[in-house]
Amino acid sequence: NGLSGSATTKNFTPKFDDYQAVYNEIASRLEENDEYDDGSYGPVLVRLAWHASGTFDKETGTGGSNGATMRFAPESAHGANAGLKAARDFLEPVKAKFPWITYSDLWILAGVCSLQEMLGPQIPYRPGRKDGEVAACTPDGRLPDASQAQDHLRKIFYRMGFNDQEIVALSGAHALGRCHANRSGYEGPWTFSPTVLTNDYYKLLLDEKWQWKKWEGPKQYEDKTTKSLMMLPADLAIIQDKKFKAYAEKYAADNDLFFKDFSAVIVKLFELGVPFAEGTENKRWVFKTFNA
Ligand code: ZEM
C-alpha cells in the first residue's frame, strides 16, 4: 500500500495503520534474529527506550525521549549507554524502510513492541517526538548508578518526576535481559526467563537468599541456590528500603497489579519531555501483537 513510498511525498500524515506496520516490522525482525543474546533483541531495545527517556530533568525540561540525541557523541559514549549501539543498529533497516518515522518515535515504538511481544501488558503509544541536534545531548550522570542504593534511586527518579511506587514498578523491567561484563561490568540475568516479562524479579528478590558474588568484577549479588542469577546493589535497595519493599511485596503477590502499574508508569516514562499536541493524551493507540 505504498507506506514507505508515500513517505517521500509531501503532506503524508502517518496514521495508526502506518505505525502498526512499523510495529510489525520490528516484531518480525525480533523473531528472525533469535540468535542474539538469550534469544531476543527485546531486552536491549527496552533498555534503549528507557535510556532515551530517563535523561529527563523536570526542572529544566531537558532530556527525555524527544530528540533521540543518543545517536550522537558525547551521549552515545556515556558509560551508561555502553552496548546500546546493538539496539540502535538493529533499528536502522526499519528506519530505512519507513523513513517518515523519527528516530525518537521509532526507539520508543521499539520499546513498546518489545514489551508486548515479550508477553508484557499492552503499552499505549502516541507519536509526536522530533529528532534533536547534537547540542541537545544531555550531560553524563542522569541515569542511575547500579552500585548505589535507595537515596540515589530517589534522587535520580524524583528528578524525572516519579514517586516511590513508580520507582518500584519500573524496576520490574529487570525481569528482562541481563548484564554484560563488556558493557556495564556486571554479569548475568535477574530471572530464569529473561525474554518474558513477568513479576519474577520481585518474587526472586524476596524469596531467594542473595549473597555477594566472589569475583574480580564490580560488587554484585548472586542467588545462594543456583548462583546463576544476579542482583545489582541498586536492585537490593528495593527490598532494603521499607517503603520500596512494601510495593515489591504487592507486585510479587499479584502479576495483574504489576502489569497494570508497569504499563501506566512505562507510558509516563516513554513520554517524558515530549511536547505532544494538546488533546492527544486521550488518543493513545494500542498496537496488535504480531501473532495475535
Ligand atoms: Zn536497567 N540495567 N537499570 N532498567 N535494564 C541493566 C540492564 C537492563 C539499572 C542498571 O544499572 C542496569 C531500569 C532501571 C535500572 C533494563 C531496563 C530498565 C544493566 C546491565 C544495568 C547495569 C547493562 C548491560 O551490562 O548490558 C539501574 C541502576 C536501574 C535503577 C533502578 C529501568 C527503569 C528499566 C526499564 C523500564 C533492561 C531491559 C536491561 C537488560 C538489557 C539487556 O541488554 O539485556
Side-chain angles (χ1 to χ4, degrees), residues 36-38 40 42-48 50-51 80 82-84 115 118 143-148 152-153 157 167 169-174 176-188 190 194 201 232 234-235 238 262 266 269-270:
Y36 175 79
D37 227 0
D38 295 302
S40 175
V44 78
L45 290 172
V46 172
R47 190 162 198 246
L48 175 67
W50 139 238
H51 280 205
L84 292 180
L115 289 165
M118 293 190 288
L143 292 160
D145 172 351
S147 72
Q148 297 202 49
H152 172 75
L153 292 182
F157 283 94
I167 293 171
L170 280 170
S171 300
H174 282 172
L176 299 170
R178 60 166 55 243
C179 295
H180 305 78
N182 60 352
R183 295 180 179 179
S184 60
Y186 298 97
E187 183 59 50
W190 290 266
Y201 169 81
L232 301 163
D235 293 309
I238 298 292
F262 182 77
I266 210 88
L269 174 71
F270 286 174

Side-chain angles (χ1 to χ4, degrees), residues 87-284:
R88 295 193 300 274
D89 288 351
F90 174 90
L91 293 172
E92 276 304 321
V94 182
K95 171 72 176 162
K97 188 163 176 182
F98 303 95
W100 49 264
I101 195 169
T102 61
Y103 278 101
S104 37
D105 272 343
L106 175 61
W107 290 0
I108 299 305
L109 181 54
V112 166
C113 174
S114 298
L115 289 165
Q116 292 194 168
E117 296 300 314
M118 293 190 288
L119 308 184
Q122 293 183 333
I123 315 286
Y125 172 91
R126 54 178 163 157
R129 296 165 192 78
K130 293 196 170 59
D131 291 340
E133 304 291 324
V134 63
C137 279
T138 46
D140 202 357
R142 286 201 176 178
L143 292 160
D145 172 351
S147 72
Q148 297 202 49
Q150 50 267 42
D151 292 355
H152 172 75
L153 292 182
R154 286 198 169 93
K155 195 173 129 239
I156 293 283
F157 283 94
Y158 288 0
R159 189 210 67 227
M160 296 175 215
F162 293 112
N163 63 30
D164 287 359
Q165 173 264 316
E166 291 172 318
I167 293 171
V168 178
L170 280 170
S171 300
H174 282 172
L176 299 170
R178 60 166 55 243
C179 295
H180 305 78
N182 60 352
R183 295 180 179 179
S184 60
Y186 298 97
E187 183 59 50
W190 290 266
T191 66
F192 293 110
S193 52
T195 62
V196 181
L197 185 63
T198 64
N199 62 344
D200 283 359
Y201 169 81
Y202 306 104
K203 288 190 189 169
L204 288 160
L205 251 184
L206 291 160
D207 295 347
E208 283 297 332
K209 293 256 180 305
W210 296 96
Q211 60 191 21
W212 291 112
K213 180 182 170 79
K214 292 193 186 68
W215 75 323
E216 297 297 296
K219 284 178 83 173
Q220 68 174 66
Y221 294 90
E222 65 182 8
D223 70 298
K224 207 172 175 179
T225 316
T226 70
K227 296 185 163 66
S228 61
L229 300 178
M230 71 91 60
M231 289 287 167
L232 301 163
D235 293 309
L236 257 286
I238 298 292
I239 55 167
Q240 287 161 348
D241 182 273
K242 268 203 181 131
K243 276 195 74 191
F244 284 165
K245 189 180 181 187
Y247 292 114
E249 284 169 339
K250 285 188 188 176
Y251 295 140
D254 187 345
N255 194 58
D256 290 344
L257 178 69
F258 167 55
F259 268 25
K260 182 177 143 288
D261 285 1
F262 182 77
S263 176
V265 76
I266 210 88
V267 168
K268 181 172 167 182
L269 174 71
F270 286 174
E271 296 191 348
L272 291 176
V274 187
F276 290 107
E278 224 170 293
T280 55
E281 64 276 6
N282 304 315
K283 291 183 182 150
R284 293 192 187 89

